[in-house]
Amino acid sequence: MGFKDDFKREMRNIKKDVEKEVHKTWEMDYKGHRIEVINQMKEELLIIDGVTVDRNKRKSLLSHIIPYSKLSGILDLQDGRKHVISVKLGGYVKLNCIVKIDNETVLDDSLKLDFLPWDNKEKIVAFIQQQIQTHNKIVDDHLPDEEYLYDENHPRMASGMFDNVADDMPTPFYVKKLLKLFEEQLNRPSTKTRKGTYEKIIFDNMANYSDEFIERFKQAEFDESRVQQEALWLLEHAAHREVVKFSITVLGCTDCEKYKELLFTLGMHEEFTPYVLFALKNGTMRANNQVWQLAQSVHGWGKIAAVGQLEATTPEIKQWLLTKGCRNKIMDEYLAYSCAVKGELDVALYEETISKELYDGAGLIIQALLNERAPESIEDYPYASAVLSRFVYHARTHCKTLEDFYPLMKISEFLNADSEVWEERFNDQWKQQEYASIQQAIQPIINEPKWSQLVLEALQQENNMKALKIALFYQVDVTQNLFDMLEKDPENRELYVVVMDTKNHKYIEDICIFAETHLSLSSLSNEEQHCLQCIVQDLYGYEGVGLPLIQAALASDNGSLQYHALSVLERWSPSISQQPALQKSIKNIAITTKDKEDRQLANRLLVK
């Protein structure tokens, strides 16, 4: 997001803090009657016995230039007289409340307005501890500070995701200034010094500067007991996630053995898992067992971090890596390589017989390694040929269902790549006899007619994506099944990918027509944008197909969609991009986009 959006969010957050700070209530009993005075940002209230008798509403923040407001009401007592209640309320540095009844002062109170960044907010550590005590796990990964982080311009991210996409560019001299403030806090712990550190911490994201901070912190050689005392104070009061991350990191730079339980509890929330992993490995003894426990307790970005830090020191850990370590909520491809290497998949599959559990786990790892999206794929794996060969060998025992067969189908697709691809592989790590041996072993399984029959039976009973992909592998006509599934779930992006991957001209024409009638092209939701991109990015070889989708992509404010639409038009005949409606959208992109490549693309299309 741009500076304007960030500034608006910051102003909104400041306003929230002020509203919470000035929201105060005074209550008192007077001769059997309950009197309440409530001060809020936009109004003040006088309530007697539960009934609002006077209020002062403020139309804007500018009205606070007049610091005091007055409220009044009538109190009926048993003496038959009407008694006048008058309230004077307000102030800048202090919030004063004076209540008089018949000119007699019955309440004179003053509250200092501190505007401390941790006040009037739910504390994060207590929030997590409550969940763990109640459920033994995190059941709701939302954190109390989300109202300050997310809005219509900043959609919520999965816990831990932001740290994985952070720009890693800290503000110049930021760490040096932060350490100086923290040193002042250590030497003179007070509200003032703690506030200074706290406000500096939340100015930037820990992921951007953690490495530099850890290095400089260790060089500083602070008193460890004071460091732990203040880190724990910050943890206890933290209402912002960056303060929790800072405090965990600081604890991890000390001998924090006695805080293992607290750290483990915080690590069960995936926003903090990577920081807890550092603290455990750097500041405690025999941490690997806790790392393994954490890896088994988290399922998203936290699991990805934990498996990355886990050492496979026992047969039990290796077995877990091969059977349960790979699957996660983000993308199995992130963990496949680590699990294969650390779990010694090649050694495990070398056994004469293996369990069905290991066969399933190995199949998942192999599928992920064969995916082109994998950060480290089968092309990087040094034991690829041995693992594929042994997996096919064990398939003779364990491959009975479509689920069991799916990894074999992916292996067959890998083996049937173009000759140019295999020529490069033979020049790298593969040997021709290895390739021929696996192909010879897998082909009888692939040729079994039962798989086509099982596919048809499965598709008649349920919407099964793997069955659908196997059907396409065997060139079974499942067009109707595809579109039946899309009718039920028109925002299922995986279905669009399956159709586009067929490279069947008729299917692609049909999916474009379907998208035109089932997606809200003029006001695309986030999921609809993903679905549209699945189509548009593969339209290069289908000139003129899906023009309304190209137009919608150009008109959207999604930079990736715009780029793919412009790229497709550049490959198509100039007569298409010269259509008036398209020219208007292209010109708008050329004028408004901040992306240099998009602007160049648009300008080239305008002069064709």
Side-chain angles (χ1 to χ4, degrees), residues 448-462:
E448 289 182 21
K450 71 175 183 179
W451 304 119
S452 298
Q453 184 59 38
L454 286 173
V455 160
L456 292 174
E457 292 173 4
L459 290 176
Q460 287 173 2
Q461 296 172 6
E462 59 180 331

Side-chain angles (χ1 to χ4, degrees), residues 261 340 356:
E261 184 177 346
K356 179 62 164 59

Side-chain angles (χ1 to χ4, degrees), residues 267-367:
M268 290 180 73
H269 194 291
E270 312 219 23
E271 186 70 27
F272 307 116
T273 311
Y275 301 91
V276 169
L277 292 170
F278 163 76
L280 290 173
K281 295 196 75 172
N282 191 71
T284 71
M285 299 175 62
R286 296 179 292 277
N288 198 57
N289 192 50
Q290 276 71 40
V291 174
W292 186 28
Q293 289 181 46
L294 267 183
Q296 296 172 80
S297 303
V298 288
H299 309 284
W301 289 106
K303 183 174 184 178
I304 292 168
V307 170
Q309 294 294 319
L310 180 62
E311 298 171 20
T313 53
T314 66
E316 291 77 18
I317 294 177
K318 291 178 182 178
Q319 176 74 3
W320 178 84
L321 284 166
L322 297 180
T323 57
K324 297 183 176 66
C326 183
R327 192 175 296 282
N328 64 85
K329 291 181 178 179
I330 308 303
M331 198 168 81
D332 296 341
E333 287 75 8
Y334 282 134
L335 290 179
Y337 189 88
S338 292
C339 289
V341 172
K342 293 183 179 184
E344 297 182 343
L345 180 60
D346 56 315
V347 175
L349 293 182
Y350 190 76
E351 297 293 329
E352 185 64 26
T353 60
I354 63 172
S355 67
K356 179 62 164 59
E357 184 183 34
L358 178 55
Y359 177 85
D360 292 340
L364 182 67
I365 292 171
I366 289 169
Q367 289 174 58

Side-chain angles (χ1 to χ4, degrees), residues 75 147 157 171 193 205 253 319 335 397 425 498 593 599:
L75 181 63
E147 64 173 308
M157 293 184 177
T171 307
T193 58
N205 301 298
C253 291
Q319 176 74 3
L335 290 179
T397 302
R425 288 171 181 163
V498 169
T593 185
R599 187 165 56 252

Side-chain angles (χ1 to χ4, degrees), residues 533 536-538 540 549-550 552-571 585-586 589 593 595-602 604-605:
Q533 181 163 322
V536 172
Q537 67 189 8
D538 284 336
Y540 293 93
L549 304 184
I550 296 290
L554 293 173
S556 74
D557 58 0
N558 183 310
S560 182
L561 270 176
Q562 291 177 342
Y563 169 78
H564 285 295
L566 292 168
S567 300
V568 167
L569 288 174
E570 189 176 42
R571 295 271 291 273
S585 296
I586 294 168
I589 293 173
T593 185
D595 187 279
K596 182 180 179 181
E597 190 172 358
D598 286 359
R599 187 165 56 252
Q600 291 173 341
L601 262 173
R604 287 201 296 270
L605 289 168

